[in-house]
Amino acid sequence: MVYYNITPPDMTGDYDTGLASGCAWGYQQMETMRQWFDGIIAMSVYNKRDLVRMGYPADRIWVMTAYFITFADYRKKPSVQVLKDYIS
């Protein structure tokens, strides 16, 4: 599984109780799915802590480091081979 996170319900409850309920339901679902995954990619250390708090084993969670594309990368000429492989 790749886990991006669920917004904490208390962050939305003051202005959207429906959204807060949906977020709380998401947390409940996550807690019931613990046994389904052999490994998890968390998109941040915060997200890993969130999963551990829900009972997921820390040793089966890997944090994906941020990937940044610089503006200079957008100026590069694309690889002809990659274009052939992925564009029909």
Side-chain angles (χ1 to χ4, degrees):
M1 171 178 64
V2 177
Y3 181 71
Y4 282 86
N5 72 27
I6 298 170
T7 300
D10 60 342
M11 290 183 69
T12 63
D14 289 343
Y15 62 90
D16 190 334
T17 56
L19 180 58
S21 295
C23 294
W25 180 79
Y27 276 112
Q28 292 170 354
Q29 292 298 303
M30 287 295 298
E31 290 176 4
T32 64
M33 296 188 300
R34 278 191 298 260
Q35 72 279 5
W36 296 356
F37 304 104
D38 294 324
I40 302 161
I41 297 171
M43 300 310 291
S44 69
V45 173
Y46 172 86
N47 292 347
K48 180 176 182 174
R49 284 193 299 255
D50 206 21
L51 289 163
V52 169
R53 184 192 55 75
M54 289 186 275
Y56 286 79
D59 63 335
R60 294 191 321 190
I61 304 169
W62 293 270
V63 176
M64 178 179 236
T65 56
Y67 178 77
F68 296 100
I69 299 174
T70 65
F71 287 114
D73 288 339
Y74 287 107
R75 290 186 216 100
K76 291 180 182 176
K77 186 173 181 174
S79 163
V80 173
Q81 188 60 49
V82 170
L83 292 174
K84 284 181 183 177
D85 290 345
Y86 294 100
I87 298 176
S88 54

